[in-house]
Amino acid sequence: MLKDKYAEQITKIFAKYPDKRSAIMPLLYLAQEHYGYVSPEGINEVAELCEIDPTQVKSIAGFYTMYRETPKGKYWLQVCTDLPCALVGADKFYHDLLDYLGIQDGDTTPDGLFTVEHVMCLAACDRAPMLQCNFRYVENLDMEKMKALIEQWRAEAAAEAQASSD
Amino acid sequence: MPNILLRDQDVPNIGTYEVYVQHGGYEGLRKALSMSPKEVIAVVKDSNLRGRGGAGFSTGMKWSFVPDVDGPKYVVVNADESEPGTFKDRQILEKNTQQLIEGALICAYAIQASTIYVYVRGEFWDIGFQLEREIEKARAAGWIGQNIGGSNWSCEMYVHWGAGAYICGEESAMLNSIEGKLGQPRVRPPFPAVSGLYGRPTVINNVETLANVPPIIVNGAAWYKSIGTEKSPGPKIFCMSGHIAKPGNYELPLGKTFRELIELAGGVRGGKKLKAILPSGASGPLLPGTDKVLDTPLTYEDVAALGSTLGSASVIILDEDTDMVWATLKMIKFFRHESCGKCTPCREGTYWLEQRLKAIYERRATRADVELIESVAKQMQGKSLCALGDFATSPVLSALKYWRDEFYAYVEPVKTTVRAPARKAVPVAMAGD
Ligand SMILES: Cc1cc2nc3c(=O)[nH]c(=O)nc-3n(C[C@H](O)[C@H](O)[C@H](O)COP(=O)(O)O)c2cc1C
Ligand code: SF4
């Protein structure tokens, strides 16, 4: 339950606003962190905390691109392919990345590690090609750097899996 | 000249409270607190600082519209920065954080606001937390909270993260978003200065606008007006991207020319010839890379006289090899994705522009489609609730104005008999959509 796990954070969030409804967005981020995506349970809990109807919370979640409505890969890679990035090769970079992972636009690798999507401008146009991995920017990329990162993330995930099975 | 906004380029770690106060930080707020709120507004008005979020509206004037009433008033800092090609506010938020906090506080004092919300685009996740840490330092130093600087004015400051929606950069959509409603623009009037956040008087300013305020208060309006031009005073950050040798942010006084700016950023990448300039991201009309354009001063009025806008000064450079149909389609895809769907002309118009442009780009179209996108774009103009509906038309109309033949080159010439039904077909499909 969000209200037990994040009790202190939730109190702080409500203190920021004169109206409970304003807490929907920050609480949706907590729900996403807890459930891995904005799950039906998450929606209901946020609605209960904000004392509003779950369908309203669901419509807010659906309006924004940063709330995941379905589970994503462990590494959620969002590549900017908007005009400024595309002028310096972001489209090719995006397709090379998909090919390298052997998946299609928006898909997740079968091992559940990587989801690759293309997104609109991320305000990093001077450091293209770039992507956002789970809310962190990775900039000035090329495929060589990307391959090294993918290996690093695979090793990281394997080490975590190992540690949790021990 | 030392940078006034990109001070991180001159002073390492200026964004942290400790370093900021060693370099004159909070002198502006201290001075403002010794003045009456009305006097503060008068100085900002006199400086003729114009909003850096795109529209270039007088900041002092905007503040003066807030009525002198009891009860809560709000300042909302627009840190949603989502215009393709714009990454200036990010540098201020990350590297000159305290100057923004101080500017927002001076604004809040001037309108006697009780709370400041900084609306940070969700993708600036870590930057938002860093901003929160600097806010806490300012609070610990007594600049935020109760009875600030010994005055009887109290004010809080919070960060609110967006979650990925360009439209929330539009000020009234931003207010709805903070209120936990759908991030769609509101009908105006009433204007936010009278009835904004939670129905209370509210000022919304861009990050860069507010970063200008502390030096204005410290050095005075006359000093500020000595920088830039009469109608467009002050320094401005130009975001250089696309086919440019040295992409990045450049601070210049307003009034330098496109040529000077491009030279400063190393010229067109790979020594190529310049084809086109987008002076204000995807939202302002394209300009051809002619001598006339290159010698135009970068001011609100001069760029407007060319038929484009200075906007947020996110300058995207397109070289001679750029396919203008491709570039136009990219921009339309952006607007189709970001239209909030509230108004029919914008929602349906962006959909059909993308659909027909894609057909042109994929060589599945006819000349009639080129005329059609022009007519759709023209019919969208001035028919929507917010400026996005107009922004979306500018790539199409400006590309057709200067590079029409490139569009024709993608399509086969058609006989008039084919043209008529093709024109009719689309409006019918639109209505049933
Ligand atoms: C679709 C749309 C998107 C906008 N996005 C931004 C933005 O990301 N940042 C910004 O400061 N202003 C943006 N604006 C302009 C704001 O509505 C508003 O004019 C601005 O924040 C006012 O601040 P200023 O007077 O300091 O420029 C946008 C406007 C529209 C119509
Ligand atoms: S013009 Fe477009 S983005 Fe603006 S309110 Fe209407 S539908 Fe929404």
Side-chain angles (χ1 to χ4, degrees):
Chain A
M1 292 286 275
L2 301 179
K3 71 169 183 280
D4 305 323
K5 181 170 172 188
Y6 300 104
E8 198 184 325
Q9 260 166 291
I10 292 173
T11 311
K12 268 197 188 152
I13 289 170
F14 279 119
K16 283 181 170 181
Y17 310 100
D19 186 354
K20 287 203 151 165
R21 194 183 173 117
S22 290
I24 295 177
M25 290 180 72
L27 292 179
L28 279 172
Y29 277 123
L30 291 184
Q32 177 158 289
E33 183 179 299
H34 182 64
Y35 292 105
Y37 72 110
V38 180
S39 64
E41 305 95 294
I43 299 267
N44 286 337
E45 287 180 54
V46 172
E48 200 174 305
L49 285 163
C50 297
E51 293 165 20
I52 79 168
D53 198 78
T55 51
Q56 301 214 30
V57 177
K58 203 163 160 44
S59 78
I60 301 291
F63 187 80
Y64 298 95
T65 56
M66 287 181 68
Y67 299 124
R68 333 168 176 192
E69 292 185 277
T70 52
K72 304 275 180 186
K74 180 173 169 65
Y75 300 94
W76 183 21
L77 309 182
Q78 296 180 296
V79 181
C80 173
T81 58
D82 221 338
L83 181 66
C85 280
L87 286 170
V88 292
D91 281 318
K92 182 172 184 323
F93 173 79
Y94 182 65
H95 290 291
D96 289 349
L97 174 58
L98 288 174
D99 289 347
Y100 184 71
L101 291 172
I103 53 173
Q104 305 279 315
D105 178 36
D107 282 354
T108 302
T109 52
D111 59 8
L113 281 187
F114 301 103
T115 300
V116 183
E117 297 171 351
H118 68 275
V119 294
M120 299 298 165
C121 189
L122 292 172
C125 324
D126 53 339
R127 302 169 208 182
M130 60 81 62
L131 57 79
Q132 182 176 244
C133 172
N134 301 344
F135 298 3
R136 296 262 142 79
Y137 281 20
V138 192
E139 302 172 315
N140 295 313
L141 283 168
D142 55 39
M143 264 322 281
E144 285 316 303
K145 285 188 199 165
M146 201 59 228
K147 286 177 192 169
L149 271 171
I150 288 170
E151 288 323 309
Q152 187 189 319
W153 286 328
R154 280 187 177 142
E156 202 176 272
E160 273 178 41
Q162 182 68 37
S164 66
S165 71
D166 283 348
Chain B
M1 203 174 84
N3 287 295
I4 296 163
L5 306 168
L6 300 178
R7 288 181 73 197
D8 55 291
Q9 295 184 349
D10 306 318
V11 188
N13 302 320
I14 189 75
T16 62
Y17 185 79
E18 306 75 30
V19 177
Y20 188 63
V21 288
Q22 279 164 20
H23 289 83
Y26 285 88
E27 284 310 314
L29 181 56
R30 202 188 305 275
K31 189 167 168 188
L33 291 171
S34 73
M35 301 156 68
S36 74
K38 282 212 167 64
E39 283 166 345
V40 174
I41 294 177
V43 172
V44 175
K45 212 171 179 175
D46 186 25
S47 79
N48 200 12
L49 165 63
R50 299 174 64 170
R52 303 303 197 218
F57 190 77
S58 159
T59 304
M61 195 91 87
K62 188 187 270 190
W63 296 4
S64 73
F65 294 152
V66 174
D68 188 6
V69 292
D70 288 337
K73 286 180 234 167
Y74 298 101
V75 170
V76 174
V77 182
N78 192 336
D80 196 48
E81 190 161 61
S82 311
E83 177 66 36
T86 314
F87 42 88
K88 65 189 178 68
D89 298 336
R90 177 181 170 192
Q91 187 166 343
I92 295 175
L93 286 158
E94 263 185 316
K95 307 253 176 77
N96 197 5
T97 324
Q98 286 291 342
Q99 190 164 321
L100 167 67
I101 297 173
E102 186 184 1
L105 284 163
I106 295 172
C107 170
Y109 173 73
I111 67 154
Q112 292 288 293
S114 45
T115 308
I116 302 167
Y117 291 103
V118 187
Y119 192 102
V120 177
R121 70 177 289 181
E123 292 87 347
F124 290 170
W125 190 250
D126 289 329
I127 297 174
F129 286 105
Q130 184 200 330
L131 175 62
E132 272 192 339
R133 289 192 292 275
E134 290 301 325
I135 289 173
E136 285 318 307
K137 290 186 202 167
R139 188 193 307 277
W143 298 119
I144 297 171
Q146 298 293 312
N147 302 100
I148 295 168
S151 71
N152 53 15
W153 166 66
S154 303
C155 188
E156 284 302 326
M157 185 162 184
Y158 301 113
V159 178
H160 182 94
W161 279 263
Y166 171 68
I167 193 59
C168 290
E170 193 282 333
E171 56 186 30
S172 66
M174 180 167 286
L175 301 180
N176 279 341
S177 181
I178 299 174
E179 289 182 12
K181 299 178 183 150
L182 279 189
Q184 292 182 317
R186 296 178 180 174
V187 179
R188 279 148 294 182
F191 290 95
V194 179
S195 175
L197 191 61
Y198 308 112
R200 302 293 310 168
T202 303
V203 161
I204 302 122
N205 272 132
N206 169 260
V207 167
E208 185 187 353
T209 309
L210 292 171
N212 274 275
V213 170
I216 289 174
I217 298 299
V218 171
N219 302 306
W223 164 82
Y224 193 77
K225 285 190 283 192
S226 73
I227 305 163
T229 69
E230 192 193 334
K231 285 187 185 145
S232 300
K236 179 80 193 79
I237 304 173
F238 295 89
C239 313
M240 301 299 288
S241 72
H243 295 138
I244 188 81
K246 293 190 279 177
N249 285 319
Y250 294 86
E251 178 177 327
L252 286 173
L254 284 162
K256 298 283 182 195
T257 63
F258 278 106
R259 195 187 298 280
E260 288 170 292
L261 174 65
I262 292 169
E263 274 168 17
L264 191 63
V268 179
R269 207 169 75 137
K272 289 265 168 69
K273 282 210 195 78
L274 176 68
K275 181 169 187 175
I277 303 175
L278 282 158
S280 41
S283 292
L286 284 148
L287 290 172
T290 58
D291 282 333
K292 181 181 170 212
V293 169
L294 283 169
D295 291 323
T296 299
L298 292 153
T299 64
Y300 294 100
E301 60 280 9
D302 290 298
V303 181
L306 290 175
S308 190
T309 56
L310 185 63
S312 53
S314 35
V315 182
I316 306 174
I317 300 296
L318 312 186
D319 74 13
E320 55 187 323
D321 299 334
T322 313
D323 177 338
M324 299 310 281
V325 176
W326 170 85
T328 307
L329 178 57
K330 271 277 172 200
M331 290 188 269
I332 291 304
K333 275 181 180 296
F334 174 81
F335 290 116
R336 200 269 304 146
H337 184 263
E338 302 299 342
S339 167
C340 81
K342 192 163 175 165
C343 325
T344 311
C346 173
R347 184 185 64 239
E348 301 296 318
T350 53
Y351 172 83
W352 284 106
L353 285 179
E354 182 190 10
Q355 221 252 15
R356 291 333 290 158
L357 259 168
K358 195 156 175 283
I360 294 170
Y361 184 61
E362 291 170 357
R363 300 180 194 275
R364 294 185 281 108
T366 66
R367 246 176 197 251
D369 289 294
V370 179
E371 321 301 338
L372 183 67
I373 55 170
E374 185 170 44
S375 129
V376 169
K378 281 189 178 153
Q379 290 182 61
M380 285 165 68
Q381 285 185 313
K383 297 207 180 72
S384 300
L385 194 54
C386 87
L388 191 145
D390 288 327
F391 291 166
T393 68
S394 75
V396 172
L397 295 176
S398 58
L400 284 172
K401 179 169 167 193
Y402 299 109
W403 298 278
R404 201 176 190 96
D405 287 346
E406 288 193 30
F407 288 78
Y408 286 150
Y410 268 98
V411 298
E412 299 297 336
V414 293
K415 296 189 200 94
T416 41
T417 46
V418 181
R419 192 179 291 179
R423 277 200 174 188
K424 260 192 200 152
V426 172
V428 170
M430 252 192 211
D433 193 56

